[in-house]
Amino acid sequence: MEATKKVKANAIGIPLVALIQGVVALIGYLIFGVPDPFFWFAVTAIGSVIPFVGTAIGFIPVTVILLSQGMTLEAIGVLAYGFIVVGSSDNLVRLYVLKRMANEHPLITLIGVIVGIPVFGFLGLVFGPLMISLFLIIVVIYKKEYADDENQTEYQAETSLEEKQRVKIDEKQNDNEDEIKDKTDEKDKA
């Protein structure tokens, strides 16, 4: 059940987030008159798979291109729109979609992409985070199966030790009480 949620969150959620962020960026590219806005939409959408900073792969080169063409006002507009609107949408959409689908932390996606791309190539954008998620599920299963038994055994050993110590203390107290009773009996006889 948990694994199914993680697979859906990574296989559906990550591309969905990328598409939404690409559309948000496309709106800005169309507003500011960026040449080839659909190409930059694709670049931004693919780059946005990397959490928090990926969308900058799209709008920073667009800003440089606009500056080199002498379109300073448009370049500043795209840069501001990219950081404020697209960057905010990255944080909000990613957190909402991945948390809602499988309570997935964005760091899992970030580490998964970093590991996944060298291992799986382009498909590592989805398979990397998926592999990290499934690995974490295996760790949880291992912890439930083995660590709890170990802790239970340690708990039982500690409990046995505590019981033995209590018995010794009780015996000492009983011995002390017997000694005191014997001494008081001897005083009474004398």
Side-chain angles (χ1 to χ4, degrees):
M1 182 71 171
E2 185 74 20
T4 305
K5 284 183 183 178
K6 299 290 184 181
V7 169
K8 283 183 182 176
N10 285 291
I12 296 171
I14 292 173
L16 179 66
V17 169
L19 181 66
I20 291 170
Q21 288 180 276
V23 169
V24 170
L26 176 63
I27 292 168
Y29 298 152
L30 292 172
I31 289 172
F32 292 104
V34 173
D36 300 320
F38 291 97
F39 168 75
W40 291 109
F41 153 76
V43 170
T44 305
I46 292 169
S48 71
V49 172
I50 302 169
F52 306 116
V53 294
T55 53
I57 293 171
F59 67 79
I60 289 181
V62 168
T63 302
V64 172
I65 289 170
L66 290 175
L67 282 173
S68 70
Q69 293 177 349
M71 301 170 72
T72 309
L73 188 60
E74 290 85 352
I76 293 170
V78 166
L79 188 64
Y81 182 85
F83 278 116
I84 295 169
V85 178
V86 179
S88 297
S89 73
D90 177 29
N91 297 332
L92 296 175
V93 172
R94 183 174 310 278
L95 291 175
Y96 178 76
V97 169
L98 293 179
K99 283 280 189 187
R100 177 132 178 148
M101 291 184 83
N103 199 21
E104 190 83 11
H105 195 279
L107 258 172
I108 292 172
T109 306
L110 178 64
I111 294 168
V113 167
I114 291 170
V115 171
I117 289 176
V119 174
F120 299 109
F122 182 73
L123 294 175
L125 294 173
V126 173
F127 287 123
L130 178 60
M131 297 307 284
I132 298 290
S133 295
L134 293 177
F135 172 75
L136 292 175
I137 289 174
I138 291 170
V139 168
V140 168
I141 291 170
Y142 178 83
K143 185 177 178 183
K144 283 182 182 177
E145 288 295 320
Y146 297 105
D148 287 345
D149 290 342
E150 232 175 71
N151 290 341
Q152 187 67 21
T153 306
E154 288 176 20
Y155 174 74
Q156 289 171 345
E158 289 174 7
T159 305
S160 298
L161 183 63
E162 289 173 3
E163 286 178 21
K164 289 177 184 175
Q165 289 174 344
R166 263 193 232 122
V167 168
K168 286 181 182 179
I169 291 171
D170 288 343
E171 288 175 357
K172 285 182 183 179
Q173 286 177 346
N174 288 339
D175 290 343
N176 288 341
E177 288 175 4
D178 288 341
E179 278 182 36
I180 293 172
K181 192 175 183 183
D182 289 342
K183 286 181 183 180
T184 23
D185 286 343
E186 287 176 15
K187 283 183 183 180
D188 287 341
K189 287 182 184 178

CSV table of all heavy atoms in Angstrom, one decimal, residues 10-52:
chain,number,residue,atom,x,y,z
A,10,ASN,N,5.7,9.6,-7.4
A,10,ASN,CA,6.8,9.9,-8.2
A,10,ASN,C,6.5,9.8,-9.7
A,10,ASN,O,7.0,10.6,-10.5
A,10,ASN,CB,8.0,9.0,-7.8
A,10,ASN,CG,8.6,9.4,-6.5
A,10,ASN,OD1,9.2,10.4,-6.4
A,10,ASN,ND2,8.4,8.6,-5.5
A,11,ALA,N,5.8,8.8,-10.1
A,11,ALA,CA,5.5,8.6,-11.5
A,11,ALA,C,4.5,9.6,-12.1
A,11,ALA,O,4.5,10.0,-13.2
A,11,ALA,CB,5.0,7.2,-11.7
A,12,ILE,N,3.6,10.0,-11.2
A,12,ILE,CA,2.5,11.0,-11.7
A,12,ILE,C,2.8,12.4,-11.1
A,12,ILE,O,2.7,13.4,-11.9
A,12,ILE,CB,1.1,10.5,-11.2
A,12,ILE,CG1,0.8,9.2,-11.9
A,12,ILE,CG2,0.1,11.5,-11.6
A,12,ILE,CD1,-0.5,8.5,-11.4
A,13,GLY,N,3.2,12.5,-9.9
A,13,GLY,CA,3.3,13.8,-9.2
A,13,GLY,C,4.4,14.6,-9.8
A,13,GLY,O,4.2,15.8,-10.0
A,14,ILE,N,5.6,14.0,-10.0
A,14,ILE,CA,6.7,14.8,-10.5
A,14,ILE,C,6.5,15.4,-11.9
A,14,ILE,O,6.7,16.6,-12.1
A,14,ILE,CB,8.0,14.0,-10.4
A,14,ILE,CG1,8.4,13.7,-8.9
A,14,ILE,CG2,9.2,14.7,-11.1
A,14,ILE,CD1,9.6,12.8,-8.7
A,15,PRO,N,6.1,14.6,-12.8
A,15,PRO,CA,5.7,15.1,-14.1
A,15,PRO,C,4.6,16.2,-14.1
A,15,PRO,O,4.6,17.2,-14.8
A,15,PRO,CB,5.4,13.9,-15.0
A,15,PRO,CG,6.0,12.8,-14.4
A,15,PRO,CD,6.0,13.1,-12.9
A,16,LEU,N,3.6,15.9,-13.2
A,16,LEU,CA,2.5,16.9,-13.1
A,16,LEU,C,3.0,18.2,-12.6
A,16,LEU,O,2.6,19.3,-13.1
A,16,LEU,CB,1.4,16.3,-12.1
A,16,LEU,CG,0.2,17.2,-11.9
A,16,LEU,CD1,-0.6,17.3,-13.1
A,16,LEU,CD2,-0.6,16.6,-10.8
A,17,VAL,N,3.9,18.2,-11.6
A,17,VAL,CA,4.4,19.4,-11.0
A,17,VAL,C,5.3,20.1,-12.1
A,17,VAL,O,5.2,21.3,-12.3
A,17,VAL,CB,5.3,19.1,-9.8
A,17,VAL,CG1,6.1,20.3,-9.4
A,17,VAL,CG2,4.5,18.6,-8.6
A,18,ALA,N,6.0,19.4,-12.9
A,18,ALA,CA,6.8,20.0,-14.0
A,18,ALA,C,5.9,20.6,-15.0
A,18,ALA,O,6.2,21.7,-15.5
A,18,ALA,CB,7.7,18.9,-14.6
A,19,LEU,N,4.9,20.0,-15.4
A,19,LEU,CA,3.9,20.5,-16.4
A,19,LEU,C,3.3,21.8,-15.8
A,19,LEU,O,3.2,22.8,-16.6
A,19,LEU,CB,2.9,19.5,-16.7
A,19,LEU,CG,1.9,19.9,-17.8
A,19,LEU,CD1,2.6,20.1,-19.1
A,19,LEU,CD2,0.7,18.9,-17.9
A,20,ILE,N,2.8,21.8,-14.6
A,20,ILE,CA,2.2,23.0,-14.0
A,20,ILE,C,3.2,24.2,-14.0
A,20,ILE,O,2.8,25.3,-14.4
A,20,ILE,CB,1.6,22.7,-12.6
A,20,ILE,CG1,0.5,21.7,-12.7
A,20,ILE,CG2,1.2,24.0,-11.9
A,20,ILE,CD1,0.0,21.2,-11.4
A,21,GLN,N,4.4,23.9,-13.6
A,21,GLN,CA,5.4,25.0,-13.5
A,21,GLN,C,5.8,25.4,-14.9
A,21,GLN,O,6.0,26.6,-15.1
A,21,GLN,CB,6.6,24.5,-12.8
A,21,GLN,CG,6.4,24.3,-11.3
A,21,GLN,CD,7.6,23.9,-10.6
A,21,GLN,OE1,7.8,22.7,-10.5
A,21,GLN,NE2,8.3,24.8,-10.0
A,22,GLY,N,5.8,24.5,-15.8
A,22,GLY,CA,6.1,24.9,-17.2
A,22,GLY,C,5.0,25.9,-17.8
A,22,GLY,O,5.3,26.9,-18.4
A,23,VAL,N,3.8,25.5,-17.5
A,23,VAL,CA,2.7,26.4,-17.9
A,23,VAL,C,2.7,27.8,-17.2
A,23,VAL,O,2.5,28.8,-17.9
A,23,VAL,CB,1.3,25.7,-17.6
A,23,VAL,CG1,0.1,26.6,-17.8
A,23,VAL,CG2,1.1,24.5,-18.5
A,24,VAL,N,3.0,27.8,-15.9
A,24,VAL,CA,3.2,29.1,-15.2
A,24,VAL,C,4.3,29.9,-15.9
A,24,VAL,O,4.1,31.1,-16.1
A,24,VAL,CB,3.4,28.9,-13.7
A,24,VAL,CG1,3.8,30.2,-13.1
A,24,VAL,CG2,2.2,28.3,-13.1
A,25,ALA,N,5.4,29.3,-16.2
A,25,ALA,CA,6.5,30.0,-16.9
A,25,ALA,C,6.1,30.4,-18.3
A,25,ALA,O,6.4,31.5,-18.7
A,25,ALA,CB,7.7,29.1,-16.9
A,26,LEU,N,5.4,29.6,-19.0
A,26,LEU,CA,4.9,29.9,-20.4
A,26,LEU,C,4.1,31.2,-20.4
A,26,LEU,O,4.2,32.0,-21.3
A,26,LEU,CB,4.2,28.7,-21.0
A,26,LEU,CG,3.5,28.9,-22.4
A,26,LEU,CD1,4.7,29.2,-23.4
A,26,LEU,CD2,2.7,27.8,-22.8
A,27,ILE,N,3.2,31.3,-19.4
A,27,ILE,CA,2.4,32.5,-19.3
A,27,ILE,C,3.3,33.7,-19.2
A,27,ILE,O,3.0,34.7,-19.9
A,27,ILE,CB,1.4,32.4,-18.1
A,27,ILE,CG1,0.4,31.3,-18.4
A,27,ILE,CG2,0.8,33.7,-17.8
A,27,ILE,CD1,-0.4,30.9,-17.1
A,28,GLY,N,4.3,33.7,-18.4
A,28,GLY,CA,5.2,34.8,-18.3
A,28,GLY,C,6.0,35.0,-19.6
A,28,GLY,O,6.2,36.2,-20.0
A,29,TYR,N,6.4,34.0,-20.2
A,29,TYR,CA,7.2,34.1,-21.5
A,29,TYR,C,6.3,34.8,-22.5
A,29,TYR,O,6.7,35.6,-23.3
A,29,TYR,CB,7.7,32.8,-22.0
A,29,TYR,CG,8.6,32.1,-21.1
A,29,TYR,CD1,8.7,30.7,-21.1
A,29,TYR,CD2,9.5,32.8,-20.2
A,29,TYR,CE1,9.6,30.0,-20.2
A,29,TYR,CE2,10.4,32.1,-19.4
A,29,TYR,CZ,10.4,30.8,-19.4
A,29,TYR,OH,11.3,30.1,-18.5
A,30,LEU,N,5.0,34.4,-22.6
A,30,LEU,CA,4.1,35.0,-23.5
A,30,LEU,C,3.8,36.5,-23.2
A,30,LEU,O,3.7,37.4,-24.0
A,30,LEU,CB,2.8,34.3,-23.6
A,30,LEU,CG,2.9,32.9,-24.2
A,30,LEU,CD1,1.6,32.1,-24.0
A,30,LEU,CD2,3.3,32.9,-25.7
A,31,ILE,N,3.7,36.8,-21.9
A,31,ILE,CA,3.4,38.2,-21.4
A,31,ILE,C,4.6,39.1,-21.8
A,31,ILE,O,4.4,40.2,-22.3
A,31,ILE,CB,3.2,38.2,-19.9
A,31,ILE,CG1,1.9,37.6,-19.6
A,31,ILE,CG2,3.3,39.7,-19.4
A,31,ILE,CD1,1.6,37.4,-18.1
A,32,PHE,N,5.8,38.6,-21.6
A,32,PHE,CA,7.0,39.5,-21.9
A,32,PHE,C,7.6,39.3,-23.3
A,32,PHE,O,8.6,39.9,-23.6
A,32,PHE,CB,8.1,39.2,-20.8
A,32,PHE,CG,7.7,39.6,-19.5
A,32,PHE,CD1,7.3,38.7,-18.5
A,32,PHE,CD2,7.6,41.0,-19.1
A,32,PHE,CE1,6.9,39.1,-17.2
A,32,PHE,CE2,7.2,41.4,-17.8
A,32,PHE,CZ,6.8,40.4,-16.9
A,33,GLY,N,6.9,38.6,-24.2
A,33,GLY,CA,7.3,38.5,-25.6
A,33,GLY,C,8.6,37.8,-25.8
A,33,GLY,O,9.4,38.2,-26.6
A,34,VAL,N,8.8,36.7,-25.1
A,34,VAL,CA,10.1,35.9,-25.2
A,34,VAL,C,10.0,35.2,-26.6
A,34,VAL,O,9.0,34.6,-26.9
A,34,VAL,CB,10.2,34.9,-24.1
A,34,VAL,CG1,11.4,34.0,-24.3
A,34,VAL,CG2,10.3,35.7,-22.8
A,35,PRO,N,11.1,35.3,-27.4
A,35,PRO,CA,11.1,34.5,-28.6
A,35,PRO,C,11.1,33.0,-28.3
A,35,PRO,O,11.8,32.6,-27.3
A,35,PRO,CB,12.4,34.9,-29.3
A,35,PRO,CG,13.2,35.8,-28.3
A,35,PRO,CD,12.3,36.1,-27.2
A,36,ASP,N,10.4,32.2,-29.1
A,36,ASP,CA,10.3,30.8,-28.9
A,36,ASP,C,9.8,30.4,-27.5
A,36,ASP,O,10.5,29.6,-26.8
A,36,ASP,CB,11.6,30.1,-29.2
A,36,ASP,CG,12.2,30.3,-30.6
A,36,ASP,OD1,11.3,30.3,-31.5
A,36,ASP,OD2,13.4,30.5,-30.7
A,37,PRO,N,8.7,30.9,-27.1
A,37,PRO,CA,8.2,30.6,-25.7
A,37,PRO,C,7.9,29.2,-25.4
A,37,PRO,O,8.1,28.7,-24.3
A,37,PRO,CB,6.9,31.5,-25.6
A,37,PRO,CG,6.4,31.7,-27.0
A,37,PRO,CD,7.7,31.7,-27.9
A,38,PHE,N,7.5,28.4,-26.5
A,38,PHE,CA,7.2,27.0,-26.2
A,38,PHE,C,8.5,26.2,-26.0
A,38,PHE,O,8.5,25.2,-25.3
A,38,PHE,CB,6.3,26.4,-27.3
A,38,PHE,CG,4.9,27.0,-27.3
A,38,PHE,CD1,4.6,28.1,-28.1
A,38,PHE,CD2,4.0,26.5,-26.4
A,38,PHE,CE1,3.3,28.6,-28.1
A,38,PHE,CE2,2.7,27.0,-26.3
A,38,PHE,CZ,2.4,28.1,-27.2
A,39,PHE,N,9.5,26.6,-26.7
A,39,PHE,CA,10.8,25.9,-26.4
A,39,PHE,C,11.3,26.1,-25.0
A,39,PHE,O,11.7,25.2,-24.3
A,39,PHE,CB,11.9,26.4,-27.4
A,39,PHE,CG,13.3,26.0,-27.0
A,39,PHE,CD1,13.7,24.7,-27.2
A,39,PHE,CD2,14.2,26.9,-26.4
A,39,PHE,CE1,15.0,24.3,-26.9
A,39,PHE,CE2,15.4,26.5,-26.0
A,39,PHE,CZ,15.9,25.2,-26.3
A,40,TRP,N,11.1,27.4,-24.5
A,40,TRP,CA,11.5,27.7,-23.2
A,40,TRP,C,10.6,27.1,-22.1
A,40,TRP,O,11.0,26.8,-21.0
A,40,TRP,CB,11.7,29.2,-23.0
A,40,TRP,CG,12.9,29.7,-23.7
A,40,TRP,CD1,12.9,30.5,-24.9
A,40,TRP,CD2,14.2,29.4,-23.5
A,40,TRP,NE1,14.2,30.7,-25.3
A,40,TRP,CE2,15.0,30.0,-24.5
A,40,TRP,CE3,14.9,28.7,-22.5
A,40,TRP,CZ2,16.4,29.9,-24.5
A,40,TRP,CZ3,16.3,28.6,-22.5
A,40,TRP,CH2,17.0,29.2,-23.5
A,41,PHE,N,9.3,26.9,-22.5
A,41,PHE,CA,8.4,26.2,-21.7
A,41,PHE,C,8.9,24.8,-21.5
A,41,PHE,O,8.9,24.3,-20.3
A,41,PHE,CB,7.0,26.2,-22.4
A,41,PHE,CG,6.1,25.0,-22.0
A,41,PHE,CD1,5.5,25.0,-20.8
A,41,PHE,CD2,6.0,24.0,-22.9
A,41,PHE,CE1,4.7,23.9,-20.4
A,41,PHE,CE2,5.2,22.9,-22.6
A,41,PHE,CZ,4.6,22.8,-21.3
A,42,ALA,N,9.3,24.1,-22.5
A,42,ALA,CA,9.8,22.8,-22.4
A,42,ALA,C,11.1,22.7,-21.5
A,42,ALA,O,11.2,21.8,-20.7
A,42,ALA,CB,10.1,22.2,-23.8
A,43,VAL,N,12.0,23.7,-21.7
A,43,VAL,CA,13.2,23.7,-20.9
A,43,VAL,C,12.9,23.9,-19.5
A,43,VAL,O,13.4,23.2,-18.6
A,43,VAL,CB,14.2,24.8,-21.5
A,43,VAL,CG1,15.3,25.0,-20.5
A,43,VAL,CG2,14.7,24.5,-22.8
A,44,THR,N,12.0,24.8,-19.2
A,44,THR,CA,11.6,25.1,-17.8
A,44,THR,C,10.9,23.9,-17.2
A,44,THR,O,11.2,23.6,-16.0
A,44,THR,CB,10.7,26.4,-17.8
A,44,THR,OG1,11.3,27.5,-18.4
A,44,THR,CG2,10.4,26.8,-16.3
A,45,ALA,N,10.0,23.3,-17.9
A,45,ALA,CA,9.3,22.1,-17.4
A,45,ALA,C,10.2,21.0,-17.1
A,45,ALA,O,10.1,20.4,-16.0
A,45,ALA,CB,8.2,21.7,-18.4
A,46,ILE,N,11.2,20.7,-17.9
A,46,ILE,CA,12.1,19.6,-17.7
A,46,ILE,C,13.0,20.0,-16.5
A,46,ILE,O,13.3,19.2,-15.6
A,46,ILE,CB,12.9,19.3,-19.0
A,46,ILE,CG1,12.0,18.7,-20.0
A,46,ILE,CG2,14.1,18.4,-18.6
A,46,ILE,CD1,12.6,18.6,-21.4
A,47,GLY,N,13.5,21.2,-16.5
A,47,GLY,CA,14.3,21.7,-15.4
A,47,GLY,C,13.6,21.7,-14.1
A,47,GLY,O,14.3,21.5,-13.0
A,48,SER,N,12.3,21.9,-14.1
A,48,SER,CA,11.6,22.1,-12.8
A,48,SER,C,11.5,20.8,-12.1
A,48,SER,O,11.0,20.8,-10.9
A,48,SER,CB,10.2,22.7,-13.1
A,48,SER,OG,9.4,21.7,-13.7
A,49,VAL,N,11.9,19.7,-12.7
A,49,VAL,CA,11.9,18.4,-11.9
A,49,VAL,C,12.8,18.5,-10.7
A,49,VAL,O,12.6,17.8,-9.7
A,49,VAL,CB,12.3,17.2,-12.9
A,49,VAL,CG1,12.5,15.9,-12.1
A,49,VAL,CG2,11.2,17.1,-13.9
A,50,ILE,N,13.9,19.3,-10.9
A,50,ILE,CA,14.8,19.5,-9.7
A,50,ILE,C,14.1,20.5,-8.8
A,50,ILE,O,13.9,21.6,-9.2
A,50,ILE,CB,16.1,20.0,-10.2
A,50,ILE,CG1,16.8,19.1,-11.2
A,50,ILE,CG2,17.1,20.3,-9.1
A,50,ILE,CD1,18.0,19.6,-12.0
A,51,PRO,N,13.9,20.1,-7.6
A,51,PRO,CA,13.1,21.0,-6.6
A,51,PRO,C,13.9,22.3,-6.3
A,51,PRO,O,15.1,22.3,-6.3
A,51,PRO,CB,13.0,20.1,-5.4
A,51,PRO,CG,13.2,18.8,-5.8
A,51,PRO,CD,14.1,18.8,-7.0
A,52,PHE,N,13.1,23.3,-6.2
A,52,PHE,CA,13.5,24.7,-5.7
A,52,PHE,C,14.3,25.5,-6.7
A,52,PHE,O,14.2,26.7,-6.7
A,52,PHE,CB,14.3,24.6,-4.3
A,52,PHE,CG,13.5,23.8,-3.3
A,52,PHE,CD1,14.0,22.6,-2.8
A,52,PHE,CD2,12.3,24.3,-2.8
A,52,PHE,CE1,13.3,21.9,-1.8
A,52,PHE,CE2,11.6,23.6,-1.8
A,52,PHE,CZ,12.1,22.4,-1.3
